[in-house]
Amino acid sequence: MDTFDFLADPRAITLQQRRATRASMQSEQSRWLDRLRALAEAPLPADDFPAFLLATPPFAELARRLGTATRRAQLAPATADELDWFVAAFRDYLRTCDGEDVFSGAHAASPWR
């Protein structure tokens, strides 16, 4: 799973590279998307949500904290909050690069900094 070290900042790659990475990480995408749908609040992640990002180094800590939880109630409040941030922040990751200045230090703290 750590073979995608170029994703140190997942926003730094083009939309085409994002989609190619998602395709190459299909097993991770399927596994994490199912889990996220059980753990996230509504609106639940769509089919094109980049759940595979949880299998990359920038999100390894969040993935570790999600652990074996199968229901949201099993998550620590801080982990549930970070998961909500992750789902909201990356909802359009495979659709567009527009508006990504929202991740800049002036707008939000990045978990990978």
Side-chain angles (χ1 to χ4, degrees):
M1 284 189 224
D2 291 333
T3 59
F4 294 95
D5 290 335
F6 69 92
L7 284 174
D9 181 349
R11 298 161 298 135
I13 61 175
T14 67
L15 188 57
Q16 183 179 11
Q17 290 170 315
R18 294 172 187 194
R19 290 175 178 161
T21 302
R22 187 247 181 248
S24 70
M25 296 182 74
Q26 180 56 46
S27 63
E28 292 89 346
Q29 173 70 12
S30 296
R31 181 173 51 90
W32 277 111
L33 187 58
D34 288 343
R35 293 226 26 237
L36 287 179
R37 287 179 171 158
L39 299 174
E41 288 189 323
L44 296 180
D47 288 342
D48 68 346
F49 182 82
F52 71 90
L53 288 174
L54 287 167
T56 64
F59 299 101
E61 180 59 25
L62 175 58
R64 186 193 64 72
R65 286 191 319 238
L66 294 175
T68 59
T70 57
R71 296 183 333 268
R72 185 173 179 88
Q74 295 171 313
L75 298 176
T79 300
D81 288 347
E82 186 173 349
L83 177 62
D84 293 343
W85 175 88
F86 173 78
V87 171
F90 287 92
R91 189 167 306 279
D92 292 328
Y93 181 76
L94 295 173
R95 298 176 191 163
T96 183
C97 292
D98 294 340
E100 289 197 345
D101 62 338
V102 73
F103 293 103
S104 70
H107 293 93
S110 297
W112 54 82
R113 287 187 189 171

